[in-house]
Amino acid sequence: MTDPLALFDEWLAEARASEPNDPEAMALATATKDGRPSVRIVLLKGHGRDGFVFYTNQLSRKGAELAENPRAALLFHWKSLRRQVRVEGPVGILSAAEADAYFASRSRDSQLGAWASDQSRPLETRALFEQRYEEMRGKFEGGDVPRPPHWGGYRVTPETIEFWTDRPHRLHERRLFTHTPDGWRQGLLYP
Ligand SMILES: Cc1cc2nc3c(=O)[nH]c(=O)nc-3n(C[C@H](O)[C@H](O)[C@H](O)COP(=O)(O)O)c2cc1C
């Protein structure tokens, strides 16, 4: 197959059928301007020709790093399939309309959590977070919960996508797709 996005769809479908949980979980690596890396798991919430989408608090550590260095690496590791996929590329912020649409589709509890959580900031006690959550519940009672202005989505536009397959004797297979002005170029890497 010469279309990495079609191949990704195929692998994700297989992961959905075989992973015990969260087949959409991916490690998201970001870095500060001076190159200090950080990594955490987020959920893939959309993907296609123009990229891989996730949602988060834009004032979080990852959000701050993306603001100063808008590039990221993603990693899917599907243990049940002994496969990994690596994606690298520049990152853009989704439009307010796209973020609104996704936020509106979340459960009310998740929506209130987005307001209550000062993601990545120090929290004195768990009780304080629960209290903030209850305050938000009261504040928005009887109406829709709007999207917090600091909550939104990012899209990683792939420049490279690598598909890694386990093979016996560590003779693993690595297929690297690189985006060029003429389309995707495909090659192999030593394992
Ligand atoms: C399975 C799983 C899925 C997660 N999905 C998300 C997500 O979609 N968005 C998000 O902001 N955090 C998600 N998290 C929490 C992040 O890993 C992380 O703790 C949080 O975003 C703060 O990261 P930061 O301080 O580096 O910005 C998830 C964690 C796990 C284990």
Side-chain angles (χ1 to χ4, degrees):
M1 189 177 293
T2 54
D3 177 0
L5 293 158
L7 183 56
F8 181 84
D9 280 344
E10 218 173 80
W11 279 27
L12 182 60
E14 289 174 36
R16 283 179 174 140
S18 72
E19 283 291 293
N21 56 47
D22 291 330
E24 285 88 6
M26 57 187 185
L28 161 72
T30 56
T32 56
K33 211 168 31 209
D34 55 348
R36 289 171 194 239
S38 67
V39 64
R40 79 289 290 152
I41 300 288
V42 293
L43 292 177
L44 179 73
K45 288 293 175 182
H47 69 283
R49 304 265 136 227
D50 40 355
F52 294 73
V53 168
F54 62 91
Y55 290 90
T56 193
N57 182 321
Q58 293 172 338
L59 302 177
S60 63
R61 179 175 177 188
K62 70 182 93 50
E65 292 181 0
L66 287 171
E68 61 181 59
N69 180 8
R71 299 192 66 83
L74 303 173
L75 173 70
F76 297 85
H77 179 207
W78 294 305
K79 290 167 85 85
S80 63
L81 299 173
R82 297 180 187 277
R83 284 175 175 170
Q84 67 174 335
V85 175
R86 299 168 64 167
V87 177
E88 291 169 25
V91 181
I93 295 182
L94 293 195
S95 70
E98 285 172 288
D100 285 342
Y102 176 67
F103 190 77
S105 78
R106 303 179 88 208
S107 72
R108 192 173 180 88
D109 285 344
S110 303
Q111 292 174 336
L112 293 169
W115 278 99
S117 174
D118 234 349
Q119 194 176 60
S120 314
R121 309 266 168 234
L123 168 63
E124 267 169 47
T125 63
R126 178 83 197 166
L128 182 60
F129 180 40
E130 285 164 11
Q131 183 192 322
R132 280 172 61 111
Y133 185 87
E134 286 309 318
E135 279 167 22
M136 293 302 150
R137 189 195 295 287
K139 179 172 173 187
F140 294 114
E141 203 169 349
D144 288 344
V145 181
R147 176 175 61 88
H150 55 266
W151 191 96
Y154 293 91
R155 180 178 281 118
V156 181
T157 302
E159 287 177 342
T160 60
I161 309 182
E162 182 199 322
F163 294 84
W164 185 101
T165 311
D166 183 72
R167 291 278 189 262
H169 316 299
R170 313 239 168 227
L171 304 180
H172 310 305
E173 182 186 295
R174 298 179 66 187
R175 293 173 68 186
L176 178 67
F177 291 83
T178 306
H179 196 257
T180 75
D182 305 323
W184 289 100
R185 200 181 64 226
Q186 187 181 176
L188 298 176
L189 297 174
Y190 280 102

